[in-house]
Amino acid sequence: MSGFNPLNAKITRRRVASLALGAGALLAARPVFAAEDTWPDLKEEIFGDQPILDGTDWVQLEAPYRAHDAAVVPIDIAALRPQEKDRFIKTITLVIDENPAPVAAVFHLGKSIGLASLSTRVRVNAYSHVRAIAEANDGQLYMVSRFVKASGGCSAPATKDPDEALASMGKMKLRQFSAPASATAAKPAISELREAQIMIRHPNHSGLQMDQLTRYFVPAHYVSDIEVRQGDEVILAVEGAISLSEDPSIRFHYLPNGSSQINVVIEDTEDQIFTKSWDIESAQSES
């Protein structure tokens, strides 16, 4: 993989192991409504004493106020400025305050991403603030947030039959879009910008879901790393956790660098590695 150091190891990967053992008790202890004092302690645990500024001039965060399905909540992060040589966003951390593992994902952005706009789907376990914290190339942090009313997303049963999920695990699909789907102030300045979506088949078990037949909790098993390259150049590297939904999906932008291929490598928490490559010009495209 890319060698990026996890920002969220302290409160996701190590914590998930204990969650899988004591899931029932932890779920019973989670509040239905978001606690007002959650974020200060959470912020210190993730970012220490580093100041976080208002990010409304950098990115917009879209999420439903009341989620239709707590296990598949759409999240859209729209950049309000292009990635410039001297001023750009290098990482975006997605945090769901009231989730058992609050850091849902860390997105590391490569030089050819062009625009730091991303979309994905997450689980929301209780009424919670959802936050996108963008780190600029000078290290300064900028945050935007939305409040989402949803509950039970991390413990919701998988939608697929276990045998079907196992048979399709690791399969991937690339969708390309002929033009950015939504307008922002940044996009008109980037005439060559392309938009794509990687869809991954994986149950992404949270460790909080109960097997409906055995009544035991299904062990945590989720996509931990995603790396998207254009030829040899990294467009995007993602550190995942249990808050990403079943069958993870990441939508992103990139600037063509002359390479003919998009290459994806994913790794999960059972050390399984899956790879896939597509010819850029012949991959499925949509308007």
Side-chain angles (χ1 to χ4, degrees), residues 192-212:
E192 296 182 353
L193 189 68
R194 296 191 181 188
E195 189 171 17
Q197 181 180 23
I198 300 293
M199 294 167 285
I200 303 164
R201 290 290 189 186
H202 199 287
N204 250 36
H205 293 310
S206 67
L208 302 173
Q209 299 153 304
M210 183 178 289
D211 186 301
Q212 300 303 302

Side-chain angles (χ1 to χ4, degrees), residues 55-116:
T56 53
D57 289 338
W58 282 81
V59 293
Q60 290 178 340
L61 176 64
E62 294 296 329
Y65 176 66
R66 187 179 297 277
H68 175 69
D69 184 345
V72 190
V73 180
I75 300 293
D76 295 303
I77 302 167
L80 300 179
R81 58 179 74 192
Q83 297 283 86
E84 298 173 342
K85 181 179 179 180
D86 298 323
R87 193 66 168 155
F88 57 88
I89 295 172
K90 64 179 185 179
T91 66
I92 296 176
T93 303
L94 183 61
V95 177
I96 305 170
D97 288 10
E98 303 303 323
N99 272 17
V103 177
V106 181
F107 303 91
H108 302 271
L109 311 181
K111 293 181 179 179
S112 67
I113 200 163
L115 187 67

Side-chain angles (χ1 to χ4, degrees), residues 29-45:
R30 300 300 296 177
V32 174
F33 296 95
E36 290 298 326
D37 60 351
T38 299
W39 173 242
D41 290 341
L42 197 55
K43 183 264 179 190
E44 183 178 357
E45 190 169 5

Side-chain angles (χ1 to χ4, degrees), residues 213-231:
L213 296 177
T214 67
R215 310 306 291 173
Y216 290 114
F217 287 100
V218 179
H221 178 200
Y222 57 91
V223 173
S224 57
D225 295 276
I226 306 168
E227 186 175 84
V228 184
R229 289 179 178 265
Q230 184 180 188

Side-chain angles (χ1 to χ4, degrees), residues 91-192:
T91 66
I92 296 176
T93 303
L94 183 61
V95 177
I96 305 170
D97 288 10
E98 303 303 323
N99 272 17
V103 177
V106 181
F107 303 91
H108 302 271
L109 311 181
K111 293 181 179 179
S112 67
I113 200 163
L115 187 67
S117 292
L118 301 161
S119 298
T120 190
R121 304 175 304 197
V122 299
R123 296 167 166 138
V124 178
N125 205 54
Y127 287 19
S128 181
H129 287 93
V130 176
R131 306 174 191 272
I133 299 94
E135 181 182 5
N137 59 305
D138 63 0
Q140 180 60 61
L141 301 176
Y142 300 90
M143 182 176 73
V144 291
S145 67
R146 292 290 299 269
F147 188 77
V148 175
K149 288 186 174 182
S151 60
C154 292
S155 59
T159 61
K160 290 184 175 63
D161 174 83
D163 292 335
E164 179 188 351
L166 183 63
S168 63
M169 186 183 301
K171 292 183 178 179
M172 288 177 262
K173 182 178 179 181
L174 173 70
R175 295 170 65 195
Q176 294 200 92
F177 303 88
S178 57
S182 59
T184 72
K187 289 178 181 175
I190 312 174
S191 60
E192 296 182 353

